[in-house]
């Protein structure tokens, strides 16, 4: 029966995989499970920040507009750069370094400075339900608060100005199912959790700015698309020490504004250890790594050159358990990133969760 279940899940997931897997922010599915695979309800907060570039200076406007835009930026607010920043002007500019975030071809041009930043905050309600200790059902309902700031931005025919774009709303609703398989020996327990997830649009992918124009699809609260995620998680537990490993692959349909996010891959490897204190408390510190990789997005069937790439994070965390309650902390810091084009860089991420376990 176990072999048949694994085979069935693999066959279902097979069409999702493509030969090319090349991230802006591309977290497929924030994985979390209690040590004993229990049902729980939880509230999670995540904060992701971005800042700095490989190169500072102008993004690429159409050649005919060079002199006009150069003069406009020159007469705008003074840009500030880091001492080691590489600054480029129009004559040096690679035409692939185009508008950050806005779909390529839009009339928005950014003089990239070290004062530009982005933050993405999520408050997520999550329910996890065990069924006969063999099946696991999960729902995720996120509320997103996204904000981006450009210190020197020109939106023709307006003058140069600093601009902050802020958008809030419900994100994609995600439903997931896992099959739980256990393998025991004298001292160790192996747990395999192959599964699938589907994300559905919430209808909040067409938020508009103050001037009535649609906000860029990348920073909308939700994607406006259907997404399918193949997942597998593994846990080794030996006495009081363990190892978690996970892998997921996500494929999205075309969503709002004819925008399609690129297929993405996530993987993680984490070691943990249990420490009992004061009888009632159990501390579980953990350390490991997390990897994201994504293809380029497409807008109206054309690839967006300032999307996609890969990034590797180091992470440390701590779970504080008391009876049925858990307080979870996780900190991630990028070790390496290779992004397509002159994208804004990944910075630190913070994850906090409060979880109440229960029995069905």
């Amino acid at each position: 029966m176990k072999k048949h279940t694994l085979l069935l899940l693999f066959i279902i997931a097979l069409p999702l995989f493509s030969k090319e897997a090349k991230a802006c922010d591309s977290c497929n599915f924030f994985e979390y499970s209690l040590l004993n695979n229990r049902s729980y309800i939880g509230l999670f907060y995540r904060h992701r920040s971005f800042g700095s570039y490989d190169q500072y200076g102008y993004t690429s406007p159409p050649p005919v507009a060079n002199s006009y835009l150069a003069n406009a930026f020159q007469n705008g607010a003074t840009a500030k750069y880091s001492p080691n920043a590489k600054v480029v002007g129009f004559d040096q500019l690679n035409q692939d370094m185009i508008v950050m975030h806005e779909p390529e071809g839009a009339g928005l041009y950014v003089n990239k400075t070290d004062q530009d930043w982005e933050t993405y905050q999520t408050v997520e309600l999550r329910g996890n339900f065990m069924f006969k200790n063999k099946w696991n059902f999960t729902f995720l309902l996120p509320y997103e608060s996204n904000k981006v700031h450009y210190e020197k931005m020109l939106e023709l025919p307006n003058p140069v100005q600093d601009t902050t774009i802020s958008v809030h709303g419900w994100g994609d609703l995600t439903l997931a199912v896992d099959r739980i398989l256990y393998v025991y020996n004298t001292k160790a327990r192996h747990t395999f959790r192959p599964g699938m997830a589907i994300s559905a649009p919430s209808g909040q992918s067409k938020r508009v700015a103050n001037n009535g124009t649609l906000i860029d699809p990348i920073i909308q609260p939700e994607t406006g698309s259907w997404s399918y995620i193949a997942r597998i998680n593994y846990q080794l537990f030996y006495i009081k020490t363990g190892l978690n490993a996970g892998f997921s692959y996500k494929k999205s349909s075309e969503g709002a504004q004819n925008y399609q996010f690129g297929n993405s891959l996530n993987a993680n490897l984490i070691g943990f250890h249990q420490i009992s204190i004061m009888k009632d408390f159990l501390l579980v510190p953990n350390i490991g790594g997390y990897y994201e990789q994504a293809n380029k997005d497409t807008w109206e069937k054309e690839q967006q050159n300032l999307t996609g790439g890969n990034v590797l994070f180091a992470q440390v965390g701590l779970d504080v358990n008391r009876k049925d309650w858990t307080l979870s902390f996780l900190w991630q810091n990028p070790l390496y990133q290779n992004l397509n084009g002159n994208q804004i860089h990944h910075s630190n991420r913070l994850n906090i969760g409060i979880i109440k376990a229960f029995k069905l």
Side-chain angles (χ1 to χ4, degrees):
M1 176 63 181
K2 293 181 179 179
K3 290 183 179 179
H4 291 163
T5 303
L6 284 169
L7 180 60
L8 176 60
L9 288 167
F10 177 78
I11 292 172
I12 294 173
L14 192 59
L16 298 178
F17 293 84
S18 62
K19 295 181 179 179
E20 181 189 10
K22 304 188 174 177
C24 219
D25 184 37
S26 54
C27 179
N28 293 344
F29 189 103
F30 178 68
E31 300 283 358
Y32 184 84
S33 62
L34 298 173
L35 289 177
N36 295 323
N37 292 316
R38 300 177 65 187
S39 299
Y40 68 82
I41 190 80
L43 189 67
F44 291 81
Y45 169 79
R46 298 196 295 276
H47 184 281
R48 295 152 288 161
S49 58
F50 295 76
S52 81
Y53 305 90
D54 288 332
Q55 295 180 328
Y56 292 91
Y58 305 112
T59 55
S60 61
V64 294
N66 281 5
S67 59
Y68 174 80
L69 292 177
N71 291 333
F73 276 128
Q74 185 176 359
N75 295 329
T78 302
K80 296 180 180 180
Y81 305 109
S82 302
N84 60 348
K86 182 178 180 182
V87 181
V88 296
F90 284 110
D91 294 338
Q92 303 167 273
L93 196 63
N94 183 327
Q95 289 298 305
D96 288 335
M97 296 171 129
I98 42 186
V99 178
M100 181 175 65
H101 274 323
E102 281 289 336
E104 298 172 14
L108 174 64
Y109 305 103
V110 177
N111 187 8
K112 298 183 176 182
T113 78
D114 60 1
Q115 297 179 66
D116 298 346
W117 51 263
E118 303 179 14
T119 61
Y120 298 84
Q121 299 181 77
T122 303
V123 177
E124 179 181 271
L125 178 65
R126 175 184 292 235
N128 190 82
F129 308 97
M130 294 281 296
F131 180 69
K132 294 186 177 180
N133 211 32
K134 293 182 179 180
W135 293 93
N136 192 80
F137 301 91
T138 305
F139 77 83
L140 289 70
L141 181 59
Y143 186 84
E144 308 286 355
S145 299
N146 304 332
K147 186 178 290 187
V148 302
H149 174 80
Y150 308 128
E151 183 63 22
K152 293 187 70 175
M153 186 273 289
L154 174 65
E155 186 173 11
L156 298 175
N158 300 322
V160 173
Q161 59 186 338
D162 65 317
T163 297
T164 301
I165 303 171
S166 181
V167 60
H168 311 273
W170 295 103
D172 295 333
L173 171 66
T174 300
L175 303 174
V177 58
D178 307 340
R179 177 69 165 96
I180 305 176
L181 308 170
Y182 300 97
V183 178
Y184 294 92
N185 58 31
T186 306
K187 294 184 177 181
R189 181 189 72 205
H190 303 268
T191 306
F192 298 88
R193 296 171 60 129
M196 298 288 294
I198 182 169
S199 293
S202 64
Q204 301 196 17
S205 58
K206 294 184 178 180
R207 297 288 188 174
V208 297
N210 292 334
N211 62 5
T213 60
L214 278 173
I215 292 176
D216 181 332
I218 293 181
I219 60 174
Q220 291 281 354
E222 57 102 29
T223 64
S225 66
W226 291 85
S227 299
Y228 309 93
I229 307 167
R231 307 158 46 240
I232 184 165
N233 290 281
Y234 164 76
Q235 183 184 89
L236 167 64
F237 190 69
Y238 180 78
I239 307 178
K240 293 186 177 182
T241 301
L243 180 74
N244 286 328
F247 173 90
S248 67
Y249 190 87
K250 180 178 180 180
K251 184 179 180 66
S252 299
S253 66
E254 186 177 276
Q257 303 183 50
N258 302 117
Y259 197 91
Q260 183 171 11
F261 289 86
N263 299 342
S264 57
L265 174 154
N266 294 174
N268 67 79
L269 182 65
I270 303 167
F272 63 88
H273 183 73
Q274 291 184 345
I275 303 171
S276 299
I277 61 171
M278 298 188 303
K279 295 183 180 180
D280 287 341
F281 287 88
L282 182 67
L283 304 184
V284 188
N286 62 80
I287 186 170
Y290 170 70
Y291 177 77
E292 290 181 355
Q293 184 171 315
N295 292 340
K296 292 180 180 179
D297 301 343
T298 58
W299 178 54
E300 294 186 346
K301 310 302 182 183
E302 292 188 8
Q303 282 194 341
Q304 302 297 287
N305 292 326
L306 284 182
T307 61
N310 56 79
V311 58
L312 174 66
F313 291 88
Q315 66 180 51
V316 293
L318 175 67
D319 279 10
V320 181
N321 300 278
R322 186 178 186 275
K323 297 182 179 179
D324 292 335
W325 289 92
T326 299
L327 186 60
S328 178
F329 301 91
L330 179 66
W331 177 262
Q332 296 176 315
N333 185 68
L335 295 178
Y336 167 83
Q337 49 191 308
N338 179 26
L339 308 179
N340 297 323
N342 195 26
Q343 295 185 54
I344 195 166
H345 290 171
H346 292 261
S347 188
N348 300 321
R349 297 180 180 180
L350 172 67
N351 303 273
I352 302 173
I354 183 166
I355 301 102
K356 175 66 168 69
F358 60 88
K359 293 183 179 180
L360 288 177

